Every structure is written in structure tokens, then in C-alpha cells.
Amino acid sequence: MDKEIIKVENLWFRYDSSWVLKDISLSIDEGEFVGIVGPTGSGKTTLVKHFNGLLKPTKGRVLINGYDTRKHKASFISRFVGYVSQNPDHQIFSQTVYEELAFGPKNFGIKDVERRVREVAKLFKLTGKLNSSPFSMSMGEKELLAIASILSFDPKVIILDEPTIGQDFVSYLELVKLLKKLNQRGKTIILISHNVDMLAECTNKIVAILNGRKLFEGSTDVFFEKKSVLKKLELPVPHKMKLVKTLRFKERLLDLDEILEWFRE
Amino acid sequence: MIITQYVERNGLLHKVDVRVKLLFFSSIVVLSFTTTNPLINISLIFLLIVLSFLSNIAHEFLVKIKKFGMLVLFAGIIWLFLYRFSLFTKSQASSKVILTLGPLVVDEVGISYGILMPTRILVMLLSPLLFLMTTKVKEFIEGLLRLRVPYPVAFTLGLSTQMIYHLGDEYEKIKQSQISRGLDLETKNVFKSIKNHVPLLVPLTVRALEVSEKINIALNLKNFDFKRKPRLKKVRLKKVDYFFVLLSLLLISISLLNVGGVI
Ligand SMILES: Nc1ncnc2c1ncn2[C@@H]1O[C@H](COP(=O)(O)OP(=O)(O)O)[C@@H](O)[C@H]1O
Ligand SMILES: [Mg+2]
């Protein structure tokens, strides 16, 4: 599973006058769970919008599954990389949840739309709501629907841009569980988040952006060891890391289940 | 929440009284409408650009001009060929044919329309833009009140300029989220293109309602009273103001001469 799915080469980008992304190079392999961190305004959203061709490099090159994003429409590149927009109200337009989930697959001309929709609905516990209106859903439900409506066309990569679900503890655990499950099934996941606990729990790789430049790219374990980098980004050490330290665990990070297991013992 | 287009600078147009500015920019638009001379429109665009320099917002202004570039180019090409079928243009039987591309004929009148219409569109877009970039919403509303526009009307007008800008932003985001789900907005097929815009219009309507709802709540929280007109301080016109009044009168005179068929 070491196939490179996203490759960024010396990417420079500006909306109008000043550079927002400066000489960024990175690569993401299929099956990875990548966290992107950086202060607000550092260019995270701008960067990931290059991953499905919504934005094209001013200078440099972005290759998605081997396709140069400048040479293909965003609606084509999006087949491989699904970007979940920050506000679900920007996408919901259908009369039923079913149609909303079927929108992507239909646009991409995928066969078996019905099966896909039912599968994804089951995963998100939306089966009972397929015939109801998405406009009557709560904000949390709408956000889940937005993620589901990307997964329904089964892109190789899914990008979550600062999901606000998962901010309370219960939905946090739910989201973590769901994302890990998807990743175990082979989905490449890119998660933009300020939540160090979620990043430590889920990701195996971190890309840190500061003022439009790449500050760090490497494994999550190494990232949270780098005190100087964390300081520059004004990020706290995740609780789990503190726990690992105080309890003098093995070198490597444990995941939540392992820690719970340890407490049970 | 509301993103203003106002660019805070210490520039020429920032200093001009709102009423004078309204008069001035209206006279530019009126002149652009009444003239059939592409040169006048080009001069007006030039004037707007010079004013943006004098107001220290040239950079921001030129970026916006660039955004309209494609639209204007497109309009130019359309008018170049299609003016012949327009109800508004005079007969062109005598116009010298310059180029024939199959069924498409380019003649002298076509070329002048191909320049006139896009420059006219540009003036109509850029004038309000420059006005809003150098005028605070609050000033705009107060200016309208000084011109005896009823308060609710003035207030709504001021707010709607912000809404339009805000919704432009929303529209961009909506577009991006639907493209992310494979919606093809770049299709060459016109009918398909129209159909493909439906998934944009529904969320846009929803967002528009939500934004106005939020504004409403914000105003209620601030105990805003639509019926109570704010007190206006007396303001005196300055030298710059008189200069712009004169300039406006000049522009209006040219319009009048145009309408009278003198030029
Ligand atoms: N559509 C846009 N037009 C102009 N500038 C933008 C636009 N979107 C973002 N920016 C600017 O680009 C910079 C990076 O923004 P963004 O990528 O949204 O950062 P982040 O997601 O890390 O908060 C910011 O300075 C922001 O103001
Ligand atoms: Mg962002």
C-alpha cells in the first residue's frame, strides 16, 4: 500500500498579491492518516484545496493519483480526493437525504448508486432518515451527512477541514472511531484540526504549516516529541503523551483502546 | 460576520462628502450610458483608475478589475458579432465590412460596439465598487439620510450592499463544495450548464436567509429601532467637495450634449 496518491512539488500560491503558500513540497501515500496543523490563516485550507484541484498552483505542481491538477478539471480530480466543506449548508440542496447522498455518485457516473448510498447510510446510522429532508436535521447531523455524501462516491482520499463535530466528548469519540474504521479499511484520511488529542489518537503523520511554509512533515510520534516545533505552533502536548510519560510506558504511542485496556488490568 | 469592502486608507475619495460622491459616481454612470463614443468610456475607466491611485487603493482596485476581465472580454466578443441582431442599434447597412468568418461578419460598427459595450459594463461595475471601497456603510446611510431618503430605505440600501458582497463570498464556497462532489460547471453544453447550477441556487437561497436572519438578531440584540432616525451632525462641504461637484457638473454637461446629439 505504498502508492503515492498526493504529490506536491514546490507549490507557490497567491490569491491576489501576497504569497499564501510558499514553496511547499510534500507527499502522501495511500492508506496514510495525515494531520495538518497550523495557526488560523497559515494556509491549511488553501493547501488542501489544491488536493482536489479547486485551486491550481501559481507556481509548482500538484499530482493527484498521477494527474497534474492544472491539466484537469476540479470535478475530475475530485473523483480521487473528496473534500468535505467546512459548512454543510454550502452543499445541501436535495429534498431527501437519499438524494443528497446520491448526488456525488451520479455526477461521477458510478454504477450501483443505490447500494453505495445504503452502505454509507448504514455506516453513518442514517438509514432511518433516507427519506426525510436534510434541511430539518440538526447541525451535527448535517455535518455527518456532508462527510457521508463525500464517502458515497468512494474517493481514495477524504479531507476533513476542521470538523466541528467532535467538539463535545461523546461525538468526539464517535468521530474518532469512525475515522479509524475508515482508515483501517484502506481510506487515506487528511484531517485539519487544532485538537492535538484527536491528532495524536488518529494520525500517523503530521504536516505542519506556519505562515504558508512547511514547518514539519513526519511521523506523529516524532512530531509530538519536538518541543520547539510545538512551541512555534503554540500547540499543547496531547494528554495521551503526558500519560505515556508519567506512566513510563514503552517508547511508542499507545492508542486509546490500549490505554483503556491497561487501566482495566 | 459581515465582510466590508471598505478599505481603510487616508486617500482622496475617503475625504469627499458622501453626497458629493454619490453625485459624482452617478454622473459617471449617466455619462457612460448616454455616450456612444468608446473613447469617452475608456477615459472614464482611466479616470476611475487614477482616482483609485489618489485614494491609495489602486492595488485592491486593480485586483477587482482583473476579476471582471473575462466577463468583459466575453461581452466584447459577443457584441462584436451580435450587435447586428440587437433591437437597440441603428441600421448598419452602410458599415464597412472588415472580416467575414463563415456566417459571422465583423464590420466597423461591430468593432465600435465591441469596444463600447464592454467598457460601458466596466464603468457600471467599477463606479459603485470604487464608491463602496472608499465609503463606510455608516457614512453611506448617513449620506442618504442627508439627501432626505427615508430612514428604513437608507438603512436597507446600506445593508444590502454588504449582503451582496457577503453572498458573493458564499457563492464561491457553495460552488467549490459542489464541484468537490463532481458537479461539472465548466461544461460547454448550455442546457446542461443551466441545469447544473440548480445545486448552487438552493444553498445560496438558504444562506441568504440565514445571513439576513443573523443580521436581524444582531440588530435586535443591539436594541436597534428602525423607526428612530439617528441624529445627524451638521457637516460643511470642503474644497475637495466643491472640486468634485464641479467635475460632476462637467460630466453631466457632456451627457446632456450627448443626448442632444451635439457630440
Ligand atoms: N478566497 C480568498 N481570497 C483572498 N485571500 C484568501 C482567500 N482565502 C483565504 N485567503 C487568505 O489566505 C490566507 C490563508 O488562509 P487559509 O488557507 O484559509 O488558512 P487556514 O485554513 O490555515 O486558516 C489567509 O491570510 C487568508 O486571508
Ligand atoms: Mg481553514
Side-chain angles (χ1 to χ4, degrees):
Chain A
M1 280 278 264
D2 262 337
K3 192 169 170 278
E4 194 175 56
I5 180 91
I6 294 175
K7 185 161 186 62
V8 179
E9 295 173 347
N10 306 99
L11 164 64
W12 289 78
F13 179 81
R14 59 177 169 209
Y15 288 101
D16 28 62
S17 59
S18 53
W19 294 108
V20 173
L21 298 179
K22 302 162 197 164
D23 199 21
I24 290 187
S25 299
L26 58 90
S27 87
I28 292 172
D29 289 338
E30 245 176 88
E32 281 189 314
F33 198 137
V34 183
I36 298 187
V37 289
T40 302
S42 56
K44 305 178 297 295
T45 299
T46 307
L47 176 65
V48 298
K49 281 184 179 171
H50 280 84
F51 295 171
N52 74 344
L54 282 176
L55 297 175
K56 316 275 182 189
T58 314
K59 280 198 280 179
R61 202 158 73 129
V62 176
L63 296 174
I64 303 301
N65 204 28
Y67 294 102
D68 188 334
T69 57
R70 275 173 315 184
K71 297 187 183 130
H72 299 274
K73 290 181 191 177
S75 53
F76 170 76
I77 302 286
S78 298
R79 178 73 188 85
F80 309 108
V81 179
Y83 172 71
V84 182
S85 55
Q86 251 160 331
N87 185 348
D89 285 334
H90 285 147
Q91 66 166 65
I92 292 174
F93 75 99
S94 308
Q95 299 199 326
T96 64
V97 169
Y98 180 93
E99 281 172 55
E100 197 62 38
L101 291 173
F103 182 64
K106 279 184 188 158
N107 280 331
F108 290 118
I110 288 170
K111 286 176 230 122
D112 260 2
V113 174
E114 165 129 26
R115 189 181 55 86
R116 298 255 189 159
V117 170
R118 298 214 171 267
E119 244 174 50
V120 107
K122 202 172 147 212
L123 189 63
F124 281 80
K125 304 197 175 79
L126 288 170
T127 310
K129 300 214 159 169
L130 281 175
N131 290 319
S132 53
S133 162
F135 292 103
S136 62
M137 291 175 128
S138 74
M139 202 55 189
E141 285 176 319
K142 280 185 193 172
E143 288 198 48
L144 281 177
L145 177 62
I147 301 176
S149 77
I150 294 290
L151 282 170
S152 63
F153 62 83
D154 199 23
K156 287 177 191 260
V157 184
I158 180 161
I159 302 173
L160 299 158
D161 193 345
E162 299 188 30
T164 49
I165 34 162
Q167 278 179 353
D168 65 277
F169 192 65
V170 177
S171 58
Y172 167 78
L173 286 181
E174 289 269 317
L175 185 64
V176 165
K177 228 165 84 186
L178 183 74
L179 293 179
K180 283 176 130 183
K181 194 164 163 190
L182 287 168
N183 185 237
Q184 272 154 18
R185 292 184 187 175
K187 190 77 68 200
T188 312
I189 301 181
I190 297 175
L191 172 67
I192 301 182
S193 176
H194 295 288
N195 185 336
V196 286
D197 292 310
M198 193 189 266
L199 292 168
E201 181 61 29
C202 299
T203 67
N204 56 32
K205 174 176 177 167
I206 297 282
V207 172
I209 306 291
L210 186 62
N211 292 325
R213 286 196 185 274
K214 188 177 82 179
L215 184 68
F216 177 90
E217 178 183 5
S219 84
T220 304
D221 298 8
V222 173
F223 177 75
F224 284 117
E225 289 292 336
K226 293 224 179 243
K227 292 274 144 41
S228 62
V229 173
L230 290 182
K231 206 171 158 199
K232 269 191 200 155
L233 295 165
E234 295 177 14
L235 286 178
V237 175
H239 289 102
K240 200 168 84 180
M241 294 285 300
K242 290 187 200 151
L243 195 63
V244 170
K245 280 267 147 53
T246 42
L247 296 177
R248 301 231 177 80
F249 270 133
K250 306 164 251 180
E251 280 300 291
R252 119 195 129 76
L253 287 179
L254 298 179
D255 71 14
L256 208 59
D257 291 334
E258 286 179 288
I259 292 173
L260 287 176
E261 192 58 31
W262 186 84
F263 273 113
R264 281 197 201 101
E265 281 170 19
Chain B
M1 185 243 337
I2 300 170
I3 310 157
T4 46
Q5 301 129 284
Y6 176 72
V7 189
E8 180 91 57
R9 291 289 149 78
N10 188 12
L12 178 66
L13 283 173
H14 295 78
K15 295 195 194 96
V16 179
D17 186 276
V18 192
R19 290 165 295 173
V20 176
K21 259 193 278 191
L22 277 171
L23 171 72
F24 175 67
F25 283 106
S26 314
S27 60
I28 287 188
V29 172
V30 168
L31 175 55
S32 167
F33 240 114
T34 50
T35 186
T36 49
N37 185 345
L39 276 180
I40 291 189
N41 273 306
I42 292 173
S43 322
L44 287 177
I45 293 170
F46 186 70
L47 175 67
L48 292 173
I49 293 175
V50 169
L51 285 173
S52 77
F53 269 99
L54 295 175
S55 309
N56 297 326
I57 53 166
H59 176 75
E60 288 81 356
F61 191 59
L62 292 175
V63 166
K64 299 242 159 90
I65 293 186
K66 234 170 74 184
K67 280 197 183 146
F68 293 127
M70 272 314 284
L71 175 76
V72 170
L73 198 71
F74 188 64
I77 294 170
I78 298 260
W79 277 93
L80 192 60
F81 298 117
L82 297 189
Y83 88 96
R84 287 171 162 259
F85 307 104
S86 163
L87 295 172
F88 306 106
T89 55
K90 295 182 214 114
S91 154
Q92 63 294 312
S94 58
S95 175
K96 200 170 120 197
V97 174
I98 293 176
L99 185 70
T100 313
L101 295 167
L104 298 175
V105 177
V106 179
D107 59 25
E108 267 179 348
V109 180
I111 287 183
S112 77
Y113 268 98
I115 300 171
L116 176 69
M117 295 317 278
T119 47
R120 191 180 269 176
I121 292 173
L122 210 50
V123 172
M124 307 245 314
L125 289 172
L126 295 181
S127 307
L129 201 64
L130 193 55
F131 173 79
L132 290 172
M133 285 172 87
T134 54
T135 313
K136 286 184 189 145
V137 190
K138 190 166 160 275
E139 291 173 346
F140 181 40
I141 296 173
E142 284 178 4
L144 290 172
L145 291 177
R146 289 209 164 88
L147 292 171
R148 309 238 181 288
V149 174
Y151 186 48
V153 178
F155 186 80
T156 312
L157 274 176
L159 217 53
S160 56
T161 63
Q162 297 313 297
M163 282 279 285
I164 290 165
Y165 184 79
H166 190 74
L167 286 178
D169 216 40
E170 294 285 323
Y171 186 70
E172 189 59 34
K173 286 183 185 152
I174 291 167
K175 220 165 90 178
Q176 289 188 341
S177 36
Q178 304 301 37
I179 291 173
S180 297
R181 296 197 294 169
L183 186 68
D184 185 3
L185 295 172
E186 297 163 74
T187 174
K188 300 269 173 355
N189 182 327
V190 179
F191 293 104
K192 220 175 141 196
S193 173
I194 292 172
K195 188 175 147 267
N196 283 359
H197 276 76
V198 173
L200 303 184
L201 294 179
V202 175
L204 188 66
T205 314
V206 172
R207 288 300 296 153
L209 292 175
E210 279 173 3
V211 169
S212 51
E213 180 82 342
K214 269 190 200 162
I215 291 176
N216 218 333
I217 292 171
L219 292 177
N220 276 331
L221 286 177
K222 288 185 182 164
N223 280 328
F224 198 86
D225 184 359
F226 264 108
K227 290 180 204 84
R228 205 177 56 221
K229 193 171 144 178
R231 303 196 60 193
L232 300 172
K233 275 183 277 170
K234 273 243 175 296
V235 283
R236 288 181 148 266
L237 294 186
K238 304 173 290 288
K239 266 189 196 148
V240 243
D241 296 327
Y242 287 112
F243 172 74
F244 273 93
V245 170
L246 279 178
L247 204 56
S248 311
L249 290 179
L250 179 71
L251 295 173
I252 292 169
S253 332
I254 304 176
S255 314
L256 288 177
L257 293 176
N258 275 325
V259 176
V262 180
I263 302 180

